[in-house]
Amino acid sequence: QVQLVESGGGLVQPGGSLRLSCAASGSSFSINAMAWYRQAPGKERERAAVITSGGPTYYADSVKGRFTISRDNAKNTVYLQMNSLKPEDTAVYYCNVQGYFNGYRYFEVWGQGTLVTVSS
């Protein structure tokens, strides 16, 4: 079983920055892709950013140029650096991790979510 612990959400003024972290723990697992999703009030969950094991990244158009996803493989941790935050970035942010147990059994897990509020 893999568990995720997220941290870093909070209240920030427009134009400010926040850094989210998500650490995966467990045994006998390897991680392929790590991602951040977000869900704003009254809207569907959307994929904000993804980083694969080889390093290639994907960003939603709405965050491109402002958000940066990175990972520390030694710590099984993914980060989301969010700059130039806008009120429309207000959402619950969820960490998503995909990988394999013992090299062959696929898994996908979600974090508990962390609230980011951008408001003056």
Side-chain angles (χ1 to χ4, degrees):
Q1 184 178 0
V2 174
Q3 294 183 329
L4 304 181
V5 176
E6 300 179 21
S7 61
L11 173 64
V12 63
Q13 292 186 343
S17 298
L18 278 177
R19 189 194 194 206
L20 305 182
S21 300
C22 172
S25 63
S27 61
S28 303
F29 71 97
S30 60
I31 294 175
N32 182 18
M34 307 182 85
W36 289 97
Y37 286 71
R38 65 183 186 178
Q39 187 167 19
K43 295 187 177 181
E44 294 187 355
R45 189 175 296 188
E46 67 168 350
R47 185 172 57 181
V50 182
I51 185 166
T52 64
S53 58
T57 58
Y58 158 87
Y59 296 97
D61 288 342
S62 56
V63 307
K64 199 172 295 182
R66 301 186 297 120
F67 290 11
T68 302
I69 189 170
S70 61
R71 61 192 283 177
D72 184 333
N73 292 327
K75 297 181 179 179
N76 289 328
T77 299
V78 62
Y79 306 95
L80 187 67
Q81 178 66 43
M82 304 184 293
N83 298 329
S84 302
L85 283 161
K86 305 174 181 180
E88 51 263 45
D89 294 318
T90 295
V92 177
Y93 285 71
Y94 296 91
C95 176
N96 173 276
V97 173
Q98 300 175 37
Y100 294 89
F101 288 114
N102 298 314
Y104 69 96
R105 186 160 60 92
Y106 172 82
F107 72 85
E108 180 178 20
V109 294
W110 291 87
Q112 79 280 8
T114 185
L115 178 62
V116 172
T117 303
V118 184
S119 175
S120 55

